[in-house]
Amino acid sequence: MRADRLVATLLLMQVRGRVTAAQVAQELEVSVATARRDLEALSTAGVPVYPQPGRGGGWSLVGGARTDLSGLTAGEATALFALAGPGAAVAPAARSALRKLVAALPDTFRADAEAAAGSVVVDPARWGRDDRHRPAMVDALQDAVVRRRRARLTYEDAKRRRSERLVDPWGLVDKDGDWYLVAGTDEGRRTFRVDRIVDAETTDEPAARPADLDLSREWEQVVGEMERRRSLGEAVVLIPQRHVHVLRHQFGRHCETLGVEDDGRVRLKVAAPMALSIAENLAGWGAGVEVLGPDSVKAELARIGAELAAAYGPGPSRGAAAPHPPPRCT
């Protein structure tokens, strides 16, 4: 966009003092003619820049004026590049933007910022799993968010039922590779899983957006509501200290330490949407975890144990081939 180029040009002049149209063109990856038009546009708009013709000339800020558009401190610049750097490794647009911003930073910030940008590599694939790619649908939805246009969605719910929704896109959230669209509807705020959006069409209708919208705050509320639904059932268990971290990994934030017993085992409270969900997470521990209550979780564990015993207990294996008869002596 031209506005982005004008800002980048002004920042470049701030750092270098004097630039030529050719230098601006090379730095911003545009033609020399485009760079010259942008410089002239800045002057026409009243920005204090002027051309100096002749050998060694170029464009300069009047009186060496400085226009600090970023307002970044050294620490803020380093933090920004550390955060943006991993994304730049896979996004050409982000890589180009960082390169331009580095050029516009004061010399004293530049080395640390460049080092921060390359200090972290993000590998989105978990061990033993395929890489998680950004869904193509995200780009279409992001366009609707940025342009503030309503979107017409074809959405498929958990029961594979499809419906048409006309929504006001507020923003997108990437939660560990799973994308969500936070949007306004006639019924208030709603959250849609992007992988369940079959089709999305950006309309020409302007989207309604709360003036004080804070997407981070909205998402915190969504997470809070989801976590409350995920913790409707609870159980109290005893587990050896050395295994506590494993159980915490299974239940995440729904695992609370209640105390330590005389025998060294840790008393924990775990939670999940229902008793069956808790039992399924605990069944693999066998006798390694003692469930103190409630009885509903114990009953589910007993049922699971009975099913496993019936399927894999002593006796002829299901589907096993009949034994061969012993050879006859002749």
Side-chain angles (χ1 to χ4, degrees):
M1 295 175 64
R2 192 185 188 197
D4 298 335
R5 292 201 316 271
L6 295 178
V7 171
T9 301
L10 192 54
L11 286 170
L12 190 61
M13 295 178 68
Q14 172 183 303
V15 172
R16 298 191 179 180
R18 179 181 295 145
V19 296
T20 66
Q23 290 172 335
V24 173
Q26 180 180 6
E27 195 67 42
L28 303 188
E29 299 177 353
V30 297
S31 68
V32 174
T34 297
R36 186 176 295 110
R37 283 196 299 269
D38 287 347
L39 288 163
E40 292 171 350
L42 286 172
S43 179
T44 302
V47 178
V49 301
Y50 70 97
Q52 182 177 347
R55 186 178 181 85
W59 290 77
S60 305
L61 287 167
V62 173
R66 295 183 62 81
T67 306
D68 185 3
L69 298 180
S70 66
L72 296 176
T73 65
E76 290 169 342
T78 300
L80 171 64
F81 278 76
L83 179 65
V90 295
R95 185 164 57 248
S96 175
L98 284 186
R99 185 170 64 250
K100 295 171 185 176
L101 186 54
V102 163
L105 287 174
D107 292 340
T108 54
F109 293 6
R110 199 170 300 163
D112 287 348
E114 289 178 326
S119 64
V120 176
V121 170
V122 174
D123 181 356
R126 297 183 181 180
W127 294 112
R129 297 189 182 183
D130 293 334
D131 190 0
R132 290 187 175 185
H133 296 287
R134 174 185 171 108
M137 184 68 69
V138 169
D139 293 330
L141 295 170
Q142 187 174 30
D143 179 68
V145 172
V146 173
R147 293 172 53 204
R148 300 197 176 193
R149 292 292 182 267
R150 305 190 82 185
R152 183 171 288 103
L153 310 180
T154 301
Y155 192 70
E156 188 172 82
D157 64 16
K159 297 182 179 179
R160 306 185 71 82
R161 296 174 300 195
R162 293 191 178 186
S163 60
E164 298 290 328
R165 315 284 184 93
L166 185 62
V167 305
D168 298 308
W170 291 354
L172 290 152
V173 177
D174 176 5
K175 186 172 178 62
D176 193 26
D178 294 324
W179 286 84
Y180 297 85
L181 171 68
V182 181
T185 70
D186 292 339
E187 291 78 32
R189 185 198 65 219
R190 293 291 184 271
T191 305
F192 302 91
R193 282 184 50 159
V194 172
D195 61 355
R196 291 181 181 168
I197 299 177
V198 180
D199 186 46
E201 175 190 356
T202 301
T203 72
D204 292 329
E205 301 178 50
R209 182 184 176 94
D212 60 346
L213 176 68
D214 182 331
L215 185 60
S216 297
R217 185 178 65 239
E218 295 292 335
W219 181 248
E220 287 177 2
Q221 294 176 0
V222 171
V223 171
E225 294 167 3
M226 290 293 295
E227 296 294 358
R228 282 192 292 273
R229 288 200 291 268
R230 288 167 58 90
S231 60
L232 295 177
E234 296 180 347
V236 177
V237 303
L238 293 176
I239 188 171
Q241 175 70 50
R242 64 182 182 277
H243 296 321
V244 169
H245 71 284
V246 182
L247 202 64
R248 285 192 182 281
H249 179 72
Q250 281 184 268
F251 286 91
R253 67 180 66 187
H254 302 297
C255 182
E256 177 185 351
T257 301
L258 301 180
V260 180
E261 303 296 299
D262 293 338
D263 61 3
R265 290 185 298 171
V266 180
R267 181 187 292 257
L268 299 172
K269 180 171 69 175
V270 296
M274 58 187 71
L276 174 59
S277 304
I278 298 175
E280 288 174 340
N281 277 286
L282 297 177
W285 287 90
V289 171
E290 180 183 351
V291 178
L292 302 181
D295 290 340
S296 58
V297 174
K298 293 182 180 180
E300 291 291 353
L301 283 169
R303 182 187 59 77
I304 293 172
E307 289 181 354
L308 293 173
Y312 303 107
S317 300
R318 296 179 183 273
H324 293 290
R328 297 179 62 185
C329 297
T330 56

